[in-house]
């Protein structure tokens, strides 16, 4: 099992922020901002391309979007936040289980784009 599959299975501890039957959301171990939550589909997909390639993956993507909204509400990110997906080696992905960083709780000033 990959690292995030182990976390989802409860074999590796994590700090849960939100969960439903399709997604698990937990604090990043190395936060980049006051809120840094990883939104992770409970089914293993390698990356966003893998999620896009099947009907099931696209259904999970819809669940990811809803979970991002839940996390933002739970954390009170009413003034906005940032969502980041690193895809593949050139995108800087280090854990090869698709996930979405929800970052906020501070005005984010460093912008690449
Ligand atoms: P990536 O670089 O693949 O976009 O993001 C992987 C993220 O997973 C990183 O931000 C990293 O800090 C986080 N991470 C790596 N290992 C663990 C872990 O064991 N627990 C938690 N909560 N986060 C982790
Ligand atoms: Zn996995």
């Amino acid at each position: 099992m990959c690292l995030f599959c182990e976390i989802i299975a409860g074999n590796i501890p994590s700090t849960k922020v939100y969960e439903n039957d399709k997604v698990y959301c937990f604090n990043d171990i190395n936060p980049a901002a006051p809120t840094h939550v990883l939104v992770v589909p409970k089914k293993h997909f390698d990356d966003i391309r893998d999620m896009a390639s099947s009907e099931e993956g696209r259904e999970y993507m819809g669940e990811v979007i809803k979970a991002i909204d839940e996390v933002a509400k739970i954390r009170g990110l009413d003034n906005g936040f940032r969502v980041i997906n690193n895809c593949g080696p050139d995108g800087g992905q280090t854990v090869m289980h698709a996930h979405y960083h929800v970052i906020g709780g501070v005005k984010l000033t460093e912008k690449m784009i």
Side-chain angles (χ1 to χ4, degrees):
M1 272 204 282
C2 87
L3 173 64
F4 285 176
C5 283
E6 295 281 9
I7 286 175
I8 291 161
N11 300 330
I12 295 173
S14 63
T15 303
K16 179 170 81 173
V17 175
Y18 173 75
E19 178 180 24
N20 64 28
D21 60 330
K22 292 288 196 299
V23 295
Y24 185 64
C25 309
F26 56 100
N27 285 332
D28 196 292
I29 204 167
N30 184 24
T35 288
H36 185 168
V37 176
L38 301 174
V39 174
V40 184
K42 285 188 173 178
K43 184 180 169 75
H44 181 98
F45 297 93
D46 293 340
D47 59 28
I48 196 170
R49 298 170 294 194
D50 194 19
M51 295 189 76
S53 70
S54 67
E55 188 63 40
E56 187 181 30
R58 293 189 292 273
E59 283 171 16
Y60 270 89
M61 196 64 217
E63 297 296 329
V64 163
I65 293 168
K66 288 192 282 184
I68 289 168
D69 185 46
E70 289 292 339
V71 166
K73 286 180 173 139
I74 289 165
R75 283 300 167 95
L77 305 180
D78 305 331
N79 207 39
F81 54 90
R82 189 171 293 166
V83 179
I84 294 172
N85 171 252
N86 298 321
C87 178
D90 279 7
Q93 185 177 2
T94 59
V95 178
M96 297 303 167
H97 179 135
H99 56 279
Y100 302 83
H101 301 252
V102 177
I103 295 168
V106 67
K107 184 153 179 67
L108 298 164
T109 53
E110 282 183 39
K111 293 186 71 179
M112 179 178 278
I113 55 165

